């Protein structure tokens, strides 16, 4: 069976009150549409078509996936009209599955069940809600057979009381769909071509309607405004947290954990509250992450402790390292292993060798640091001359006294010692003490000014 998937994403999303197209609003760090596309892909369709509206260039550029076929629906004349725009691309498909770009939590298993149930006939996914207002209602006859879908705005009092609603997700035989779409007319309260009108046509033509329901009604929830976006964000975060906990990750409070990307973790990983994981993060075993720490595209090896309030981005943290609290590690940084990075330390585009320590109040940028180095409090690498960035090399076992300024390009030789408060603008010899600071003098008898009585 050749399956074509069409994802409707042309709606303006005016209720988001945003310049960002609705389907690009992020849910767990990824555009709504990306969630639907990922689920769609798991069904291994022969084709996936996304129907986008005006301003859609941004959608296409953001999603940027060569497997997707894009169709523009310049004017939003309704869901039936939207599907019609995609039909020229779907002629050679046996069946068409309709999904919505703003219904992001639909699960692959629920779609698979629909595809399986509706091997012949038409598949329709519904849910039963305590409050069905706003949705199309599923009208059934006395024997429970589906008759038609009635949109909220066209429904009678009696129909409005029906709790079973249309999720919008349907699986339809391509040739049948083609014919029914020709028959749609906008004679309804909204003046739109309703895709939902094909249900009554299918009944008329004797096509069986197979109804399935997703495991969780939240799967069918659409996003129209920022309240619904926030509500589904919490649902998805909960699901992700549960999956991690089932894999043995300890979350001190799953309600105060956010994963906006992917996280893989070894054994005995403990995440304290308000940890935010973004992009691709890999944690080894025996890793502890303190409260309020943000990790974005980071690889962390085994036996690492990252304490509270750290921000670490595009970095590699070697085994047995200790970081924080209050450390900022920026892109291009690698801690080879056993390193200590302490409070109010910023490191950018640098390698910190085995067992080296940068414990307090430092800026280390564009630096190759060897192993066993000790960097005193307040040490700064002056890597920028106003136009260019320059490298600092600090060789193994050197000791940099507190409050040194290392003016790059500069090299500190192996086992060198730099006196506290030095401004080092020339290479420092290996094994020797180098000082570059004013000599201390005592002026005897000097008096501080004092106020006259
Ligand atoms: C639709 C269904 C309704 C169902 C509900 C579920 C119809 C007529 N009604 O109503 O039965 O209960 O979804 O959420 O189908 N879209 C386009 N082009 C258009 C119109 C819509 O691409 O011209 C897209 C939207 O971007 C959205 C989806 O189709 O992703 C649904 O459109 P929307 O206007 O939200 O439909 P509803 O009125 O909610
Ligand atoms: Ca809707």
């Amino acid at each position: 069976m050749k399956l074509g998937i069409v994802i409707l994403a042309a709606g303006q999303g005016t209720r988001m009150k945003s310049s960002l197209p609705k389907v690009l609003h992020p849910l767990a760090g990824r555009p709504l549409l990306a969630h639907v596309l990922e689920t769609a892909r798991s069904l291994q369709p022969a084709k996936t078509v996304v129907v986008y509206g005006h301003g859609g260039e941004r959608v296409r550029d953001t999603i940027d996936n060569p497997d997707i076929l894009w169709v523009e629906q310049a004017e939003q004349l309704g869901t039936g009209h939207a599907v019609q725009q995609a039909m020229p691309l779907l002629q050679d498909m046996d069946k068409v599955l309709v999904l919505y770009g703003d219904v992001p939590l639909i699960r692959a298993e629920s779609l698979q069940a629909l595809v399986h149930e509706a091997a012949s006939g038409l598949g329709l996914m519904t849910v039963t809600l305590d409050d069905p207002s706003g949705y199309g209602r599923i009208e059934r006859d006395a024997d429970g057979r589906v008759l038609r879908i009635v949109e909220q705005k066209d429904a009678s009092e009696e129909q409005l009381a029906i709790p079973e609603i249309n999720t919008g997700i349907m699986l339809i035989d391509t040739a049948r769909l083609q014919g029914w779409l020709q028959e749609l007319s906008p004679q309804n309260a909204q003046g739109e071509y309703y895709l939902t009108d094909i249900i009554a046509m299918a009944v008329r033509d004797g096509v069986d309607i197979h109804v399935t329901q997703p495991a969780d009604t939240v799967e069918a929830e659409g996003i129209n405004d920022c309240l619904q976006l926030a509500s589904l964000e919490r649902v998805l975060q909960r699901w992700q947290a549960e999956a991690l906990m089932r894999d043995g990750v300890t979350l001190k409070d799953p309600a105060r954990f956010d994963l906006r990307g992917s996280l893989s973790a070894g054994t005995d990983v403990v995440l304290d509250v308000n940890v935010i994981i973004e992009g691709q993060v890999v944690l080894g075993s025996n890793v502890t992450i303190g409260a309020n720490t943000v990790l974005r595209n980071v690889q962390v090896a085994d036996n690492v402790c990252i304490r509270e309030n750290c921000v670490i981005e595009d970095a590699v943290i070697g085994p047995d390292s200790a970081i924080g609290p209050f450390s900022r590690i920026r892109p291009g940084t690698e801690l080879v292993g056993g390193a200590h990075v302490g409070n109010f330390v910023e490191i950018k585009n640098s390698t910190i060798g085995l067992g080296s320590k940068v414990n307090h109040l430092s800026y280390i940028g564009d630096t190759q640091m060897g192993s066993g180095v000790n960097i005193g409090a307040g040490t700064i690498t002056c890597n920028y001359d106003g136009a260019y960035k320059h490298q600092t090399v600090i060789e193994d076992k050197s000791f940099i006294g507190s409050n040194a300024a290392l003016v790059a390009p500069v090299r500190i030789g192996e086992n060198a010692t730099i006196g506290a408060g030095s401004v080092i603008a020339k290479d420092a010899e290996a094994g020797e003490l180098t000082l570059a600071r004013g000599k201390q003098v005592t002026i005897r008898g000097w008096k501080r000014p004092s106020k006259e009585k």
Side-chain angles (χ1 to χ4, degrees):
M1 198 265 290
K2 269 188 161 173
L3 177 68
I5 294 183
V6 53
I7 301 176
L8 305 189
Q12 290 183 330
T14 41
R15 278 176 283 167
M16 295 301 293
K17 300 186 179 168
S18 165
S19 60
L20 188 66
K22 176 161 77 174
V23 290
L24 292 187
H25 277 264
L27 186 77
R30 290 159 63 224
L32 294 178
L33 183 55
H35 290 271
V36 181
L37 284 166
E38 191 188 304
T39 309
R41 191 160 44 241
S42 72
L43 295 172
Q44 295 176 300
K47 279 186 184 170
T48 302
V49 182
V50 176
V51 181
Y52 68 98
H54 31 224
E57 288 306 311
R58 211 165 153 191
V59 178
R60 290 171 56 163
D61 290 350
T62 308
I63 298 295
D64 188 31
N65 178 333
D67 298 337
I68 297 169
L69 302 167
W70 297 91
V71 171
E72 188 177 6
Q73 184 195 22
E75 249 188 305
Q76 275 84 65
L77 302 178
T79 48
H81 181 259
V83 172
Q84 207 159 19
Q85 306 313 299
M87 291 313 289
L89 292 172
L90 295 167
Q91 297 299 330
D92 52 340
M93 297 294 106
D94 298 314
K95 287 184 179 258
V96 173
L97 175 67
V98 180
L99 302 178
Y100 289 9
D102 58 359
V103 180
L105 295 189
I106 186 69
R107 282 176 157 149
E109 300 79 58
S110 302
L111 295 177
Q112 270 146 8
L114 180 74
V115 171
H116 183 77
E117 284 289 314
S120 69
L122 185 153
L124 177 62
M125 192 180 290
T126 74
V127 293
T128 303
L129 299 177
D130 294 337
D131 175 13
S133 53
Y135 291 99
R137 308 297 204 282
I138 309 297
E139 198 176 2
R140 293 174 181 263
D141 67 13
D143 299 324
R145 279 189 297 257
V146 173
L147 291 174
R148 65 179 70 85
I149 297 177
V150 189
E151 291 304 302
Q152 165 94 17
K153 289 187 178 141
D154 301 284
S156 65
E157 282 298 308
E158 218 172 313
Q159 289 165 329
L160 287 175
I162 299 171
E164 187 187 7
I165 64 101
N166 171 33
T167 65
I169 294 169
M170 294 182 198
L171 180 73
I172 317 137
D173 179 78
T174 310
R176 295 269 194 190
L177 176 61
Q178 186 77 22
W180 293 329
L181 289 173
Q182 303 298 324
E183 286 188 56
L184 293 181
S185 92
Q187 312 302 285
N188 52 54
Q190 299 185 85
E192 286 181 5
Y193 294 90
Y194 290 165
L195 178 63
T196 44
D197 285 350
I198 70 167
I199 298 300
M201 296 175 191
V203 172
R204 177 200 67 200
D205 293 347
V207 173
D208 287 336
I209 314 270
H210 301 275
V211 173
T212 62
Q213 299 211 322
D216 193 331
T217 59
V218 81
E219 291 179 55
E221 277 184 34
I223 291 177
N224 297 303
D225 58 27
C226 291
L227 281 81
Q228 288 165 331
L229 181 64
S231 142
L232 293 197
E233 175 79 22
R234 287 339 303 164
V235 171
L236 183 50
Q237 290 299 345
R238 180 78 207 181
W239 289 357
Q240 294 184 146
E242 284 170 359
L244 287 168
M245 292 187 291
R246 271 193 288 273
D247 281 349
V249 175
T250 299
L251 299 177
K252 291 291 184 183
D253 181 358
R256 286 182 290 168
F257 164 74
D258 287 87
L259 172 55
R260 301 169 190 158
S262 75
L263 172 64
S264 97
T267 54
D268 299 303
V269 168
V270 179
L271 274 53
D272 209 332
V273 300
N274 299 330
V275 168
I276 298 177
I277 303 285
E278 296 190 347
Q280 312 256 314
V281 172
V282 177
L283 304 178
S285 290
N286 197 25
V287 170
T288 305
I289 312 287
N292 310 316
T293 282
V294 180
L295 302 182
R296 188 176 297 126
N297 299 316
V298 182
Q299 279 181 54
V300 178
D302 295 346
N303 308 318
V304 170
C305 176
I306 298 172
R307 295 180 61 193
E308 299 81 352
N309 298 296
C310 293
V311 179
I312 304 181
E313 180 173 6
D314 294 306
V316 176
I317 310 298
D320 308 302
S321 299
I323 300 174
F326 299 103
S327 302
R328 177 164 183 221
I329 296 185
R330 293 172 48 201
T333 298
E334 180 179 1
L335 273 52
V336 175
H340 287 209
V341 174
N343 38 211
F344 311 112
V345 170
E346 174 182 352
I347 303 181
K348 184 214 77 168
N349 193 32
S350 296
T351 302
I352 308 297
L354 263 184
S356 290
K357 294 176 181 166
V358 192
N359 271 331
H360 330 271
L361 299 151
S362 273
Y363 171 64
I364 303 295
D366 304 309
T367 296
Q368 294 299 312
M369 190 185 296
S371 58
V373 169
N374 189 87
I375 302 288
T379 295
I380 303 293
T381 55
C382 310
N383 60 330
Y384 185 50
D385 62 11
Y388 299 100
K389 303 280 173 65
H390 301 281
Q391 290 281 321
T392 299
V393 178
I394 303 174
E395 294 185 355
D396 295 350
K397 289 178 282 183
S398 44
F399 181 101
I400 314 294
S402 294
N403 212 33
L406 308 179
V407 184
V410 72
R411 172 181 293 266
I412 310 299
E414 188 173 335
N415 205 24
T417 305
I418 303 297
S422 294
V423 176
I424 300 293
K426 288 180 286 188
D427 291 357
E429 254 182 76
E432 304 295 345
L433 168 67
T434 299
L435 295 172
R437 63 188 189 211
K439 279 217 169 72
Q440 183 168 329
V441 293
T442 300
I443 299 170
R444 293 213 175 76
W446 182 85
K447 290 274 186 297
R448 249 181 293 158
S450 58
K451 282 191 174 153
E452 286 175 36
K453 278 158 208 150

